[in-house]
Structures are given as C-alpha cells and as structure tokens.
Amino acid sequence: MLLDIIDTAAESAAEGYSRIALGVEYKGARYRGWQRQASGVPSVQQALEQALSKVANEPISVICAGRTDAGVHGCGQVVHFDTRAVRDERAWTMGTNFNLPHDISVVWSRPMPADFHARFKACARRYRYVIYNDPIRPAHLAEEVTWNHRPLDVERMAEAAQYLLGTHDFSAFRASQCQAKSPIKHIYHLRVTRHGQMIVLDVRATAFLHHMVRNIAGVLMTIGAGERPVAWAREVLEGRNRREGGVTAHPYGLYLVQVEYPEEYALPRRYIGPHFLTGYEALAD
C-alpha cells in the first residue's frame, strides 16, 4: 500500500507537473493543528495551501513530513506539492510568505525529483520540548514554552530518559486516538539539558506516535519534580499501559525541529530551532 501511494505520486509528478519541496516554520498557538479541517477551523495546512495557490495561480495541495497537534510549533517542517506552475525558488519562498499570516513562514524551496515524498522518504524526525522552570509564570514566550513552577532536577530527568533509548513498544506513551499501525519505534537520542531557566528535551527517532513526545515529557517532569523514582520511566515503558503513564504535557513547548532524508535529495540545512535557543552552544547540533 505504501509503495503504491509513492508510485502514484511519482507518476502524477512526471505527467507535466513539477514537484516542489518547502521548509516551513510556524507558531501553532492559534491553529487547530497542522491538518486542514473540514469545519474550516484555522489550520497551518490550510493557510499554506491558500498562499501557495495564489503564487501558482492554481489550487495547491501539500503533503507534510509530520502532522502536528493544536498548539504545537514547527521550525523544521518539510512539505511537498505538485504543480504545473513554473516559478523560481525565490518566488515560491518570498511570494508565498507575502500571502501568509505572520506566524507561518516558508524558509526555503527546492525543486525535487518525482520520487521525493515529504512523509514516506523521511528517515528520522526530531522534536524539542522546551520547559520554563521558574516559580513565576512567564509573561514572554507564554505560548511558546511550557511553564513548570516546581523545581525540576535535570540530572534525574536525564537518567530516566536513558531507559527510553533504543527500540521499544511505546504503547504507554501513545494517545488513545493514535492511528499508527505499530507502537514499535526507535529513539536514537533523548537528551535533557538546562540552560538558565530553560530545560530542553531533545529527542530524535525514526518516527513518533500521537502525543508520544508530550507523554515522555510528562513522565520526565514528574520524575524531575521528585514525585516518582527514576526507574518509574522503565516501569511505564514496560507496562505498555497509557493509563499508568501520567499526565500528557501541554503542547506549547513542543517543536518539530528537523526532518531527515537520504543525502541524495540534498535538502537545505538550517540551524536546529527554535530561534530563541540558537545562542546556546550545547544545542548547536
């Protein structure tokens, strides 16, 4: 089935169409999520397609690397679309931005071969979850970080994170409405670091289940607050029961920061976001 979808997409791109890939960043706070909503509720996909359609002077439909939930941000999202319109890279980037709302930006564009697929050709995805750890709620970045007023022990959180590395059944970290066929995923790295009042969870995996990163963040914050022992992360994982996995963390601190593809596609490389973390050398790669 997967190969059939890819083959069909490649055929359509070959029949008089060009395939274009875009890098997209957005603040998700005022959107219902990435995916276009039948009810007309604001979504990132809808806003992007409307802007692209004006540049192309024809209807454009995009496919993304990973759909993000309501309130979740993107600074490394990748999409592709097929079009008969002939435009240069600057037109797809700057022209689309001219027609986008202020909280969505196209950061690069690139013509791609017909076999490129933003979702199915991705070989790894990376998220960052940003926690503002202070007794007083933040007046700035209030919709771009998750506030936790309890003192969090980063060393305990980092130690607990090690139980989740590798290939596991992540059913305990999976939302009940998740549509993924398998709960088996591989986490390459899960780093927990403190930068002043900010704590950053940086996780890279083959793919993610619905709410997986937010559920991991919820478990690690509970351990960091001293409410559960470090080994509780392993107990939750091995129990494979979402009800035992604690509270799902808020969406505001979550960012899709990078999607990786085979080198043959030579997609542009940017810094790993979000923007306000780029001054920390420890987070440079």
Side-chain angles (χ1 to χ4, degrees), residues 187-201:
I187 292 183
Y188 295 106
H189 76 238
L190 176 50
R191 302 168 186 156
V192 185
T193 54
R194 179 181 283 278
H195 311 272
Q197 301 305 100
M198 299 285 191
I199 296 174
V200 180
L201 279 57

Side-chain angles (χ1 to χ4, degrees), residues 111-252:
M112 299 303 295
D115 69 341
F116 176 80
H117 195 285
R119 178 184 174 190
F120 296 133
K121 290 295 185 177
C123 48
R125 295 165 176 84
R126 184 173 177 179
Y127 283 85
R128 282 179 171 172
Y129 192 84
V130 185
I131 304 160
Y132 180 74
N133 190 210
D134 192 90
I136 307 300
R137 71 176 187 271
H140 306 289
L141 300 178
E143 295 179 324
E144 292 157 75
V145 297
T146 286
W147 172 48
N148 195 313
H149 69 278
R150 303 168 296 178
L152 298 178
D153 186 327
V154 171
E155 292 184 2
R156 284 171 55 86
M157 295 169 69
E159 184 180 352
Q162 300 309 299
Y163 290 118
L164 307 180
L165 296 179
T167 303
H168 301 284
D169 181 332
F170 284 95
S171 292
F173 297 91
R174 176 183 192 173
S176 59
Q177 63 269 40
C178 181
Q179 298 178 359
K181 292 182 179 179
S182 171
I184 308 297
K185 302 298 175 187
H186 181 89
I187 292 183
Y188 295 106
H189 76 238
L190 176 50
R191 302 168 186 156
V192 185
T193 54
R194 179 181 283 278
H195 311 272
Q197 301 305 100
M198 299 285 191
I199 296 174
V200 180
L201 279 57
D202 188 318
V203 55
R204 175 175 173 265
T206 50
F208 292 86
L209 302 167
H210 192 197
H211 287 177
M212 180 172 162
V213 179
R214 290 169 59 189
N215 289 331
I216 288 173
V219 165
L220 295 183
M221 283 191 284
T222 299
I223 291 171
E227 297 177 5
R228 293 279 190 163
V230 169
W232 184 56
R234 181 181 61 193
E235 294 171 10
V236 170
L237 178 68
E238 294 177 350
R240 302 180 184 178
N241 184 345
R242 176 67 205 118
R243 293 182 180 180
E244 303 299 323
V247 177
T248 300
H250 294 294
Y252 284 163

Side-chain angles (χ1 to χ4, degrees), residues 15 21 31 95 138 167 218 257:
E15 296 172 357
Y31 297 98
T167 303
V257 298

Side-chain angles (χ1 to χ4, degrees), residues 9 21 32 35 69 100 106 119 128 133 149 158 179 205 231 245 269:
R32 192 64 174 269
Q35 191 170 9
D69 291 336
L100 280 169
V106 173
R119 178 184 174 190
R128 282 179 171 172
N133 190 210
H149 69 278
Q179 298 178 359
R269 294 181 179 271

